[in-house]
Amino acid sequence: VDAFMPALNLKGDPTHGKKVYEERCLSCHRLGGQGHALGPDLVTVKTTGKEKILVNVLDPNREVRPEFVGYLVETKADDSLIGLVVNETAGAVTIRQAYGKEDVINRTDIRRMQSQGQSLMPEGLEAGLTPQDLADLIDYIETADAGSK
């Protein structure tokens, strides 16, 4: 986190920030009418301040709301799925993964289901980015219109 703190003092370019969002965030987060609802909708964080956004990007497990804790589901057919539990009934569990992919698994087909105790957002997502890239991303998040494309 300390290595990227200079990003907070840089002027961001939201046009480039949108490109960073599309490359790194869109598969799991919605913003500006784009993306997929796996992690929190980024419109909900745009007013939390630059530092909090930066910390959440760099350290996704620092604070994870219960509805965003990942689960591992192993089936009797030896399939393994990691995602969010978005629906549970007596007979089935629905797991959501990146890009909005959802699988409904019958409970009778589940060998094991276990909370991973952390976010699905991988640590190290900033690899290859510069402080300027993060400043641009933060500026895009803070200025994006909730419904625009």
Side-chain angles (χ1 to χ4, degrees):
V1 173
D2 291 342
F4 282 95
M5 279 300 182
L8 299 177
N9 299 317
L10 299 173
K11 179 171 175 26
D13 172 7
T15 302
H16 180 251
K18 181 176 182 181
K19 290 177 185 165
V20 174
Y21 163 78
E22 290 170 345
E23 292 169 2
R24 309 261 176 147
C25 313
L26 176 130
S27 64
C28 298
H29 293 281
R30 290 194 53 75
L31 180 66
Q34 292 184 304
H36 299 276
L38 183 63
D41 189 318
L42 296 183
V43 77
T44 65
V45 303
K46 65 188 285 176
T47 60
T48 61
K50 292 180 186 296
E51 186 171 348
K52 185 160 177 75
I53 294 171
L54 180 73
V55 169
N56 285 340
V57 169
L58 299 175
D59 189 1
N61 291 304
R62 186 171 288 191
E63 58 179 67
V64 183
R65 295 194 328 239
E67 66 269 29
F68 296 114
V69 171
Y71 277 79
L72 168 66
V73 177
E74 295 175 346
T75 69
K76 293 176 182 173
D78 289 327
D79 291 323
S80 293
L81 303 163
I82 295 179
L84 298 181
V85 174
V86 293
N87 191 33
E88 285 189 88
T89 66
V93 175
T94 303
I95 300 293
R96 181 179 298 150
Q97 298 171 300
Y99 295 102
K101 181 180 186 304
E102 289 190 0
D103 291 291
V104 178
I105 304 140
N106 291 325
R107 286 196 183 270
T108 57
D109 294 333
I110 295 174
R111 176 183 301 134
R112 181 170 77 116
M113 184 167 122
Q114 180 179 1
S115 169
Q116 299 299 286
Q118 58 187 359
S119 170
L120 292 175
M121 186 169 160
E123 292 189 12
L125 201 58
E126 74 281 0
L129 295 179
T130 66
Q132 184 63 60
D133 292 328
L134 281 174
D136 297 346
L137 175 63
I138 291 167
D139 200 56
Y140 173 65
I141 291 170
E142 288 187 326
T143 59
D145 179 26
S148 70
K149 293 186 182 190

